[in-house]
Amino acid sequence: MEPGNGGKKVTIRSARGIVTCPGRNFVTLKIETDEGVYGIGDATLNGRELSVASYLSDHVIPNLIGRDAQRIEDIWQFLYKGGYWSRGVVAMTALAAVDTALWDIKAKLAGMPLYQLLGGRSRDGVLVYGHANGADIEQTVDQVGAYCDMGYRAIRAQSGVPGVKGAYGVGRGDMYYEPADAALPTETLWDTAAYLNHAPKLFEKLRDQYGPDIELLHDVHHRLTPMEAARLGKSLEPFRLFWMEDATPADNQEAFRLIRQHTTTPLAVGEIFASIHDCRTLIQEQLIDYIRSTVVHAGGITHLRRIADLAGLYQIRTGCHGATDLSPVCMGAALHFDTWVPNFGIQEYMRHTPETDEVFPHDYHFADGYLHAGEAPGHGVDIDEKLAAKYEYEPRQLPVARLRDGTLWNW
Ligand code: CS2
Ligand code: MG
């Protein structure tokens, strides 16, 4: 078909969710049109994969058939406003998958890589950060060195805390850290005092060893109270972090006022947000520096663009979530978004396993600390359905955390 079709209707003929587990579970929505052009979108929600797959097949897909695939905005509004019960993360993940697949189709119809359709290139490459972790400071310091050797310019560092079994972010000794490790949640321990004592030592060591130039990031993973977060931010100031992530749960956005008053360490929040309303106060009061929401959990390209535009008014930059539980389809779409978005900050990049990369052929690539979106029409990621069918769904949940006295805490 010739690029562009003069606005002629492109009818959605069929759509289906594809569940596969090449090392971890992924849900992918494939939308096919009567023009023979198809698009795919990531619909993966860690530990809730089948809930999204079911929501897609029960509610979303029957509502797509026969609609014009070109009307991305109208379909988005139909599923969001028209869905009525539509604001939860399961529904928003499903909506994101539809939106991503439709942008993929539109870009293929236009014969353009997606970033061109969004407004064109704003940068040459997408700065990414990798994940270094270890059971103790020494191992993490070595891992940071390994990431420097691979060409990374920005590295997230996490380390085990003495006496705390299963501290957040400590992998199983390879590059493919995956916390969803069992059919029922693994119970881990959390000890705030031990952590607050330990974390600054890690970054002191890292700056001693690697100097001032490498960008260092850290994820607190919702474990602290606002005042504890303020204290940590302050104690990390001498080590100039790129950001301190999810220092306290953001259910109460106003809590960040207190952290902000006490520290100049930049703050990042938002990987679990599903909507612009989850971060409105954080953005409008300039309580954060980076917004972490990404394509798959925040309503697709259409909605993420609105969040980024609002953030841009307040000099807040993007830092899209990019853990391994987001499929290469999300990564591909996010890279096109990152290539365009004017207020880009950084993109998280946890490498997928070779099995996952094989199921999802893609044209993005890593070089010198940057990821580069490909130039193929669409978002550049496909799914090998035959291969996908070989990997059956495996139930997996994320861990939970408890304090020493048994109190359930934020994981
Ligand atoms: C983490 C995630 O990458 C991050 O910043 O917070 O790995 C998170 O733990 C997972 O996405 C949970 O599904
Ligand atoms: Mg995080």
Side-chain angles (χ1 to χ4, degrees):
M1 179 185 176
E2 291 297 305
N5 72 341
K8 188 172 136 275
K9 182 175 178 185
V10 175
T11 306
I12 297 177
R13 183 163 50 94
S14 69
R16 63 186 182 281
I18 303 159
V19 180
T20 181
C21 186
R24 62 148 304 104
N25 296 311
F26 295 110
V27 183
T28 309
L29 176 70
K30 182 166 187 173
I31 297 180
E32 288 170 315
T33 67
D34 62 0
E35 297 285 344
V37 177
Y38 67 88
I40 62 171
D42 184 18
T44 309
L45 182 59
N46 205 353
R48 306 281 183 283
E49 294 88 0
L50 298 186
S51 306
V52 183
S54 159
Y55 183 71
L56 278 169
S57 54
D58 299 344
H59 174 74
V60 175
I61 290 171
N63 280 302
L64 291 178
I65 309 304
R67 281 180 199 280
D68 184 353
Q70 305 238 71
R71 297 182 61 171
I72 300 178
E73 189 65 54
D74 185 65
I75 291 177
W76 198 99
Q77 299 297 340
F78 182 89
L79 292 172
Y80 184 79
K81 291 185 180 147
Y84 194 64
W85 307 108
S86 57
R87 284 153 187 82
V89 68
V90 170
M92 289 302 279
T93 301
L95 177 50
V98 173
D99 188 77
T100 308
L102 294 180
W103 276 104
D104 192 24
I105 290 171
K106 194 179 269 301
K108 284 174 177 170
L109 288 170
M112 288 180 190
L114 176 54
Y115 73 82
Q116 291 289 17
L117 215 52
L118 295 174
R121 189 177 280 285
S122 296
R123 56 196 50 79
D124 300 328
V126 171
L127 178 69
V128 295
Y129 70 92
H131 277 217
N133 49 65
D136 54 24
I137 290 182
E138 209 172 288
Q139 267 187 24
T140 304
V141 171
D142 286 352
Q143 272 288 305
V144 168
Y147 274 86
C148 291
D149 293 345
M150 286 187 274
Y152 283 82
R153 292 160 194 269
I155 302 163
R156 184 185 101 158
Q158 308 289 141
S159 128
V161 179
V164 180
K165 197 175 144 275
Y168 168 76
V170 182
R172 279 167 271 159
D174 58 25
M175 287 186 68
Y176 309 111
Y177 172 66
E178 173 50 66
D181 59 358
L184 291 175
T186 304
E187 301 245 340
T188 61
L189 175 70
W190 181 247
D191 182 331
T192 299
Y195 167 75
L196 286 178
N197 185 31
H198 179 77
K201 293 180 189 154
L202 168 65
F203 288 93
E204 185 176 12
K205 188 85 203 203
L206 287 169
R207 280 291 172 222
D208 275 358
Q209 187 110 352
Y210 299 110
D213 293 338
I214 186 86
E215 299 289 4
L216 295 172
L217 299 84
H218 185 62
D219 191 349
V220 184
H221 223 266
H222 320 277
R223 302 295 166 89
L224 301 177
T225 65
M227 191 53 94
E228 289 161 354
R231 194 182 128 200
L232 179 63
K234 234 175 165 173
S235 65
L236 293 174
E237 279 170 22
F239 316 118
R240 199 193 58 75
L241 263 59
F242 187 94
W243 77 34
M244 175 170 84
E245 178 188 341
D246 287 336
T248 198
D251 302 356
N252 174 17
Q253 298 178 49
E254 285 80 1
F256 280 75
R257 289 178 187 151
L258 190 144
I259 308 174
R260 204 60 163 168
Q261 280 166 13
H262 289 283
T263 181
T264 58
T265 294
L267 304 175
V269 175
E271 68 184 31
I272 61 171
F273 293 165
S275 147
I276 198 166
H277 301 291
D278 296 333
C279 49
R280 202 150 41 92
T281 304
L282 288 170
I283 291 175
Q284 288 178 328
E285 292 190 24
Q286 222 156 343
L287 300 178
I288 56 173
D289 300 278
Y290 296 93
I291 180 71
R292 298 264 299 130
S293 309
T294 194
V295 178
V296 59
H297 299 138
I301 298 272
T302 296
H303 195 64
L304 189 62
R305 195 160 66 163
R306 300 215 156 101
I307 296 177
D309 280 343
L310 180 66
L313 298 179
Y314 300 91
Q315 290 169 289
I316 294 167
R317 299 193 288 161
T318 63
C320 286
H321 189 202
T324 42
D325 49 289
L326 286 57
S327 91
V329 181
C330 175
M331 180 57 81
L335 288 172
H336 284 271
F337 177 82
D338 296 336
T339 299
W340 157 73
V341 69
N343 48 323
F344 172 75
I346 201 164
Q347 167 71 51
E348 181 178 17
Y349 177 43
M350 269 173 102
R351 284 168 190 257
H352 288 107
T353 60
E355 293 79 11
T356 298
D357 282 339
E358 243 190 302
V359 169
F360 296 98
H362 52 264
D363 67 351
Y364 58 79
H365 72 277
F366 176 86
D368 295 333
Y370 295 89
L371 273 172
H372 299 270
E375 296 295 330
H379 57 48
V381 187
D382 209 340
I383 182 164
D384 180 334
E385 288 190 65
K386 269 204 181 122
L387 196 55
K390 290 192 182 152
Y391 297 107
E392 260 179 49
Y393 170 79
E394 290 173 18
R396 288 274 181 278
Q397 291 193 47
L398 288 167
V400 296
R402 289 187 189 275
L403 304 182
R404 286 196 191 279
D405 69 358
T407 306
L408 197 89
W409 201 243
N410 298 295
W411 178 74

